[in-house]
Amino acid sequence: MKIRIKSVKSKIIVFFIGLAAFQICVMAGFAKLQLEPSIVSMYSEHLERFADVALTETTQETEKIERYMVNIIGDAQIQDFLRRADEEQSAELPPVLSTELRNRILSYTDYDNIITAIYLVDNYGRIYSNLGKSPMQAFMNRNQELKDRKEESAVWYGGENGNTITVYRNVNNNTTDLTQKIGALCIFIDRKMFQERIDDLMMEEEQHYVLENEERHLKISSDQDETEERDSIVVMRTDGRWGLRTWIEKDIIYRPVKMMMRILLAELFALLLVSIALVVFLSERITRPIRKLTIAMKEIGAGNIDTVVLDEGEDELGLLAATLNRMSKSIKKLMEQIHEDEKQKRYLELKAMQYQINPHFLYNTLDSIAMSARRNQDRQSEEMTHALAEFFRIGLSHGAEYVTVEMEVRYVKAYLEIQNMRFPDLLTWECSIEHGLEEIKILKFILQPLAENSIYHGFRDSGECGHIEIRVYTSGKNLQLCVSDNGIGMMPEQLEILKSRMAWKQMTEQSIQEGGFGLQNVQQRLQLVYGTKAGLHIESEWEEGTRITVVIPDIIKTHSEKEGSV
């Protein structure tokens, strides 16, 4: 049987109980997801610090032992002893390791208490020491490959079991032939003392580690029955000769998290009981304004944007009503703005179309004028006519709205050539395009109005020859087209008036007639096509000149993506 709850108040209570229960689960899960990574991160840092310090301590300890060995085998008396042993082939008459020589060997180790025994072995396998020979003999029997070892470097041995770590190194004749092996040096180290120096660095009792050398002859672990690394935090470090792997089980580090979770759940359930009592009281106060908001939202959705909700109080519902009222006003304003933008765009498109004329008729007429000027040997008129034809041919572009950067620069060059013919010695110019930008397509009729502004307002009436520089370059992901001149510039108040005029949202017939495709026209077209981040940036100083920069945002990224998809 399906239960239906008709009362809004009852629905709120039931919904809140379910929501609260869901929130408890979510909060518990969220706390678990947040705490566990934090705990893992903290223990990972602990393990990393232990691994770094332990590996450094191990390296220093082994290097110290190996230094002892270098000092011992470099001693002249020891060298002489092993050479004599090597020369004496009779096993019945081996040389005797004197007490003085034994003490001399021990002096090189600074009587380090970690060393339990030191052995010399000649090429015939005879062992010399102040201790029993059986440990060394057993070691040599287990590692027969050492008899044929050629490398002079030390090699470390020591299995998982046993109380001794063994370091073995060949001894070469450093007097007559450095490549001649005359024996070997072997040092026995107390494994327990060696390991205690690593154990002292451990930060957790439950932590495990395994230390191995490169040849894997020596392996030291924190416990005899090495725990598997399953579901553990593991850190590994190596320095080329030694490798240290340390880990700790996640079940151990999660114990505090589980305790905190139990406390948190108890608090959340207590909060749930209090919240249920409060929601019964608040449900009636909530349902009435919610109903009003619902009615208002339906009216707005139906198109009645002028709907207003009367605010009741300063609580969250009153804030929601005020927000809804502001939203409806914003929607209305936005719709009006969209309508005005569309109207303005259609107006600009109409004016742009009015400037287009039949290109075939225009080109044919200009070609006829050029031929007539050639027959009359009027060279200047012919050049001007050709420049004008090029100007219109590039400008019209067969009705295309967008042209390449190269075409736009050619267009403004044709315009400047015409002006130079009209007013000889009026201006000079130079144009540059950053490599790779020539084929990027942009809105046309951008640079010519800027160049026209430089000529007519910069230096046409000054009586001096002016210079215009046109540059196309990138700035981040933006394309920038800069037109600068050395004209008379503008006073600060003139610059402010021009900037305020550029901010006008409406184009008038008068402004177009005064400036043609002027600065305001360029500004409006750029923002209609590329958004509000596009536009003109004007800088000018009196008697210093003017620089106008066209900024087209994100066009470099768009062009690169198009090239990559081809």
Side-chain angles (χ1 to χ4, degrees):
M1 182 178 177
K2 187 177 181 180
I3 300 176
R4 295 183 178 179
I5 302 175
K6 297 182 179 180
S7 171
V8 176
K9 180 178 179 181
S10 300
K11 289 181 178 179
I12 292 177
I13 295 174
V14 173
F15 174 76
F16 179 79
I17 293 174
L19 180 62
F22 174 74
Q23 287 179 335
I24 289 175
C25 296
V26 171
M27 291 179 66
F30 181 76
K32 179 178 174 61
L33 293 175
Q34 289 295 316
L35 288 174
E36 287 187 356
S38 300
I39 294 292
V40 170
S41 176
M42 180 182 70
Y43 274 89
S44 296
E45 292 177 1
H46 288 339
L47 293 178
E48 288 174 357
R49 285 198 293 270
F50 164 77
D52 292 334
V53 176
L55 192 59
T56 301
E57 182 74 17
T58 300
T59 303
Q60 292 175 351
E61 190 67 25
T62 56
E63 288 178 350
K64 179 184 71 175
I65 298 298
E66 291 178 6
R67 283 197 300 272
Y68 292 161
M69 301 183 80
V70 171
N71 294 334
I72 292 172
I73 65 178
D75 186 89
Q77 293 185 21
I78 296 171
Q79 284 275 324
D80 181 65
F81 177 83
L82 289 176
R83 281 196 301 272
R84 286 189 292 107
D86 188 51
E87 294 170 358
E88 178 58 61
Q89 299 183 6
S90 174
E92 290 76 12
L93 298 173
V96 178
L97 185 66
S98 64
T99 302
E100 178 185 357
L101 191 55
R102 288 199 297 267
N103 292 336
R104 188 175 184 85
I105 292 174
L106 291 174
S107 67
Y108 282 114
T109 66
D110 298 328
Y111 301 95
D112 197 332
N113 58 358
I114 197 173
I115 298 176
T116 59
I118 301 176
Y119 295 94
L120 291 177
V121 182
D122 63 21
N123 287 336
Y124 305 103
R126 294 173 298 201
I127 300 171
Y128 307 91
S129 176
N130 60 334
L131 300 174
K133 301 178 181 180
S134 57
M136 184 62 192
Q137 188 64 53
F139 170 76
M140 294 299 294
N141 292 336
R142 288 196 306 269
N143 302 279
Q144 293 291 331
E145 72 277 3
L146 291 177
K147 295 180 180 180
D148 299 324
R149 179 178 173 83
K150 302 299 183 182
E151 294 82 359
E152 191 178 357
S153 59
V155 58
W156 290 69
Y157 284 85
E160 192 99 29
N161 301 317
N163 300 320
T164 303
I165 296 173
T166 307
V167 190
Y168 179 92
R169 175 168 180 162
N170 287 342
V171 179
N172 290 349
N173 187 346
N174 63 4
T175 303
T176 58
D177 186 359
L178 294 177
T179 62
Q180 179 190 4
K181 178 182 175 182
I182 58 175
L185 173 66
C186 197
I187 295 180
F188 282 26
I189 298 173
D190 187 340
R191 180 191 184 94
K192 183 177 179 181
M193 293 184 64
F194 188 88
Q195 186 169 353
E196 283 178 353
R197 299 184 182 184
I198 301 177
D199 292 342
D200 291 341
L201 301 174
M202 293 176 61
M203 302 178 183
E204 298 290 339
E205 293 181 359
E206 296 85 357
Q207 179 182 340
H208 308 275
Y209 71 87
V210 173
L211 175 69
E212 291 182 298
N213 63 345
E214 182 182 14
E215 298 86 359
R216 297 187 180 273
H217 298 317
L218 172 61
K219 183 176 182 180
I220 299 175
S221 61
S222 54
D223 44 13
Q224 295 297 329
D225 53 341
E226 185 179 324
T227 306
E228 294 185 5
E229 300 174 9
R230 181 174 52 195
D231 199 21
S232 302
I233 303 173
V234 183
V235 173
M236 299 185 66
R237 289 289 188 272
T238 181
D239 63 357
R241 290 192 61 191
W242 296 93
L244 179 68
R245 185 174 74 257
T246 180
W247 68 95
I248 188 169
E249 298 175 25
K250 290 185 179 179
D251 288 341
I252 295 174
I253 67 173
Y254 287 159
R255 289 173 185 170
V257 177
K258 294 177 180 177
M259 182 179 295
M260 293 178 63
M261 288 296 299
R262 287 194 290 269
I263 297 173
L264 177 62
L265 288 175
E267 293 178 349
L268 289 175
F269 277 114
L271 180 62
L272 174 62
L273 296 176
V274 176
S275 301
I276 292 175
L278 291 176
V279 76
V280 174
F281 171 75
L282 294 174
S283 58
E284 178 60 28
R285 295 177 59 86
I286 293 174
T287 54
R288 187 178 59 219
I290 287 178
R291 186 167 55 252
K292 292 183 178 180
L293 287 172
T294 303
I295 295 172
M297 291 175 67
K298 288 182 178 179
E299 292 182 359
I300 293 174
N304 187 8
I305 303 177
D306 295 325
T307 301
V308 177
V309 182
L310 297 177
D311 298 342
E312 296 183 1
E314 298 180 355
D315 57 3
E316 289 80 357
L317 292 174
L319 178 62
L320 183 59
T323 302
L324 183 63
N325 291 335
R326 290 196 299 270
M327 183 184 70
S328 62
K329 292 179 181 178
S330 298
I331 292 174
K332 183 178 180 180
K333 184 177 179 181
L334 182 60
M335 291 179 65
E336 293 175 353
Q337 182 64 41
I338 292 174
H339 177 73
E340 291 298 327
D341 287 346
E342 288 295 327
K343 182 180 178 182
Q344 182 70 6
K345 184 176 180 180
R346 287 194 299 270
Y347 180 74
L348 290 173
E349 289 175 351
L350 176 62
K351 298 307 297 181
M353 291 177 65
Q354 291 174 355
Y355 280 93
Q356 294 180 2
I357 61 176
N358 189 317
H360 295 291
F361 172 76
L362 178 63
Y363 300 157
N364 293 337
T365 302
L366 291 174
D367 288 339
S368 299
I369 296 173
M371 291 177 62
S372 177
R374 186 183 303 170
R375 285 195 299 268
N376 295 330
Q377 297 183 353
D378 189 347
R379 185 65 178 174
Q380 184 176 6
S381 298
E382 181 185 358
E383 292 179 356
M384 183 177 291
T385 304
H386 279 305
L388 184 59
E390 178 72 5
F391 175 79
F392 280 114
R393 183 177 292 107
I394 298 173
L396 293 174
S397 304
H398 301 289
E401 187 177 357
Y402 298 90
V403 296
T404 63
V405 170
E406 183 181 9
M407 290 291 290
E408 181 70 9
V409 173
R410 285 177 55 193
Y411 177 68
V412 74
K413 283 182 178 180
Y415 170 77
L416 293 173
E417 289 177 1
I418 294 172
Q419 293 297 330
N420 197 36
M421 293 179 189
R422 291 181 60 199
F423 308 103
D425 301 326
L426 173 66
L427 73 154
T428 60
W429 68 87
E430 60 178 317
C431 302
S432 63
I433 304 175
E434 185 178 314
H435 179 68
L437 304 180
E438 295 85 352
E439 297 302 320
I440 294 180
K441 287 194 174 183
I442 59 174
L443 190 67
K444 67 180 180 181
F445 299 143
I446 293 178
L447 291 176
Q448 186 272 333
L450 276 57
E452 181 179 350
N453 182 79
S454 294
I455 293 173
Y456 282 87
H457 299 286
F459 43 76
R460 192 184 69 169
D461 298 328
S462 65
E464 297 181 0
C465 179
H467 181 74
I468 297 177
E469 182 181 1
I470 299 173
R471 296 172 52 236
V472 182
Y473 56 95
T474 57
S475 178
K477 297 179 181 178
N478 301 336
L479 179 68
Q480 296 193 355
L481 302 90
C482 180
V483 177
S484 56
D485 63 68
N486 60 349
I488 60 174
M490 287 181 278
M491 300 291 287
E493 55 271 17
Q494 291 176 312
L495 182 60
E496 290 301 320
I497 292 173
L498 178 59
K499 288 183 178 180
S500 63
R501 182 179 176 185
M502 297 294 295
W504 290 354
K505 296 297 183 182
Q506 299 293 331
M507 288 287 294
T508 63
E509 182 69 27
Q510 180 182 0
S511 65
I512 289 182
Q513 289 177 353
E514 290 176 356
F517 282 98
L519 302 184
Q520 187 183 5
N521 185 288
V522 174
Q523 173 85 351
Q524 291 293 314
R525 289 192 298 127
L526 286 170
Q527 294 192 347
L528 283 171
V529 173
Y530 298 108
T532 56
K533 292 183 180 180
L536 304 181
H537 295 270
I538 305 174
E539 303 172 75
S540 183
E541 292 186 15
W542 180 248
E543 294 184 350
E544 293 293 333
T546 302
R547 180 170 65 245
I548 303 177
T549 304
V550 178
V551 177
I552 303 178
D554 297 328
I555 193 170
I556 303 302
K557 178 181 178 182
T558 303
H559 179 71
S560 299
E561 290 176 351
K562 289 182 178 179
E563 285 187 341
S565 63
V566 174

